[in-house]
């Protein structure tokens, strides 16, 4: 996951600071940056919110860093919940 390193370095943030935000060891964070280990969805979400980018951008699924609008996400989540309640 080189993009997490790019984001961190572009924002002048130390690994130690990111470890504090994610509540993990520096060794574990280093594994994420080197691609030896994968982040959880929760950690990806935390990074996306912190850097104000989409998870898709972090995962190289798009080159557009702009996050998705919260209202659209909230609307889709509400629709999914309604479907589950009705079912």
């Amino acid at each position: 996951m080189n993009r997490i390193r790019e984001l961190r370095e572009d924002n002048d943030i130390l690994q130690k600071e990111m470890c504090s935000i994610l509540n993990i060891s520096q060794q574990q964070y280093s594994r994420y940056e080197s691609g030896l280990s994968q982040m959880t969805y929760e950690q990806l979400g935390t990074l996306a919110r912190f850097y104000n980018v989409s998870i898709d951008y972090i995962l190289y699924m798009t080159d557009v860093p702009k996050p998705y609008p919260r209202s659209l996400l909230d609307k889709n989540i509400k629709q999914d919940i309604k479907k589950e309640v009705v079912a």
Side-chain angles (χ1 to χ4, degrees):
M1 284 189 141
N2 290 332
R3 186 149 280 161
I4 64 170
R5 176 177 287 163
E6 291 170 17
L7 285 165
R8 182 179 59 77
E9 290 177 348
D10 288 348
N11 286 278
D12 296 321
I13 297 171
L14 300 173
Q15 277 190 357
K16 185 177 181 179
E17 294 169 304
M18 287 312 304
C19 295
S20 177
I21 291 166
L22 295 171
N23 197 27
I24 58 173
S25 69
Q26 189 167 355
Q27 183 180 18
Q28 184 61 40
Y29 188 82
S30 179
R31 286 188 197 121
Y32 294 150
E33 283 196 354
S34 64
L36 297 175
S37 200
Q38 293 183 350
M39 292 187 153
T40 66
Y41 292 119
E42 184 178 295
Q43 291 168 330
L44 288 169
T46 298
L47 282 184
R49 285 187 298 278
F50 181 80
Y51 291 122
N52 197 33
V53 298
S54 68
I55 292 175
D56 287 349
Y57 179 75
I58 294 171
L59 297 176
Y60 285 100
M61 297 176 78
T62 182
D63 288 329
V64 179
K66 184 178 178 182
Y68 300 113
R70 293 294 296 180
S71 60
L72 177 62
L73 292 174
D74 293 341
K75 182 179 177 183
N76 289 339
I77 290 169
K78 288 177 185 175
Q79 288 176 349
D80 289 343
I81 291 172
K82 286 181 184 178
K83 288 178 186 177
E84 289 178 16
V85 171
V86 173

